[in-house]
Amino acid sequence: MMNRIVIVGATSGIGLATARLFLVEGWTVGIAGRREACLSQLKDELGDSLHTRRIDVCDDNASEDLLSLISECGGADIVLIASGFGKQNYALDTVTEIKTMQTNAVGFTRMVDAAYHYFETVGGGHIAVISSIAGTKGLGAAPSYSSTKRMQSTYLQALAQLSRMNHSGITFTDIRPGFVDTDFIKGSGMPLMMTPEKVATSIVRALKARRRKVVVDWKYAILVFVWKLIPDCIWERIPIKK
């Protein structure tokens, strides 16, 4: 293994924190994001081991851009999809819901499929996705976010089955963090908030162990276990507020 990772959605937050950890360990790292100025600044800061490319996962040419970044890195052993969008949306603003769907469902599918086809051509690899514990249940505070995160986990499961059917040799990791102190929920007052650096440490460990699924961290693992036990007829009556 040549220790090469490409992270989509790494100009800030969990993706960037994960990229920094892999760089410290001597990996070749490629990062992608929408903000070109951030990418340029990170390239200047982190040096030649870091490769960058502007990618908006909602663009039609995003798949080709991802393959170009992989090529610039000399190939990839792991592709981590960390890009995403989400807001609390009690008013059910349709624009917000559709933007979330476009990023977390359509853009996500575009990136994961591109990575899958790449690894098929090179004889195997490792696809990892940062989904969320929000995919455990439908959240009235964030309908499209929780729905798309559930979709991401299910899609990854389907690809894991497909890879085995086709003997593609692709490993999958579904990373499900709890509440993380990023721009999406900063100042929301969510409980048990974690730092991106804490989550990144767990991600690096999970990727090295090639774990299939991981909930970050143990407190959220307990919470998810309890959530799954709650019948829908009761869950839908729980007024979850920020």
Side-chain angles (χ1 to χ4, degrees):
M1 185 172 179
M2 297 179 66
N3 295 344
R4 303 161 300 182
I5 184 169
V6 170
I7 306 174
V8 180
T11 54
S12 63
I14 300 171
L16 177 56
T18 303
R20 290 183 183 277
L21 291 179
F22 276 112
L23 282 168
V24 167
E25 295 194 9
W27 283 51
T28 297
V29 177
I31 65 171
R34 291 184 300 109
R35 294 175 289 182
E36 195 137 20
C38 291
L39 291 168
S40 179
Q41 181 180 350
L42 289 168
K43 179 72 173 177
D44 291 341
E45 175 192 346
L46 298 173
D48 292 338
S49 292
L50 181 70
H51 302 271
T52 65
R53 183 168 291 265
R54 184 191 179 278
I55 297 178
D56 184 338
V57 300
C58 294
D59 289 345
D60 290 339
N61 63 346
S63 298
E64 290 74 19
D65 290 336
L66 176 58
L67 295 177
S68 295
L69 178 57
I70 290 172
S71 177
E72 184 180 328
C73 294
D77 303 292
I78 302 174
V79 173
L80 170 62
I81 311 301
S83 58
F85 180 80
K87 287 185 178 180
Q88 294 186 44
N89 192 14
Y90 293 102
L92 197 62
D93 173 63
T94 302
V95 172
T96 298
E97 295 298 280
I98 291 175
K99 182 178 180 180
T100 305
M101 292 284 186
Q102 288 174 335
T103 302
N104 296 354
V106 178
F108 163 86
T109 302
R110 185 178 285 120
M111 293 293 91
V112 172
D113 284 9
Y116 185 96
H117 291 310
Y118 165 74
F119 285 131
E120 271 191 319
T121 65
V122 298
H126 188 173
I127 297 174
V129 169
I130 298 179
S131 59
S132 173
I133 65 162
T136 306
K137 292 278 191 179
L139 299 178
S144 58
Y145 183 77
S146 57
S147 299
T148 52
K149 290 302 178 180
R150 179 66 168 264
M151 170 264 175
Q152 289 179 358
S153 294
T154 302
Y155 198 82
L156 212 64
Q157 184 177 57
L159 292 191
Q161 185 184 70
L162 181 63
S163 176
R164 287 184 179 274
M165 290 164 58
N166 294 337
H167 307 287
S168 300
I170 304 173
T171 298
F172 298 87
T173 299
D174 183 359
I175 301 154
R176 304 175 183 181
F179 301 131
V180 186
D181 188 13
T182 63
D183 292 341
F184 290 150
I185 58 173
K186 190 178 290 294
S188 65
M190 291 292 191
L192 306 176
M193 196 84 79
M194 299 180 291
T195 66
E197 291 74 21
K198 175 181 174 60
V199 177
T201 299
S202 296
I203 289 174
V204 172
R205 187 162 54 243
L207 294 182
K208 288 181 176 179
R210 293 179 171 264
R211 292 186 58 183
R212 177 62 185 84
K213 291 185 285 189
V214 58
V215 175
V216 183
D217 63 357
W218 66 269
K219 297 183 292 294
Y220 286 103
I222 294 173
L223 180 63
V224 166
F225 177 80
V226 173
W227 277 6
K228 288 180 176 179
L229 297 177
I230 300 175
D232 290 347
C233 61
I234 295 176
W235 177 264
E236 291 166 10
R237 288 169 169 77
I238 299 174
I240 296 179
K241 298 285 187 179
K242 68 177 182 180

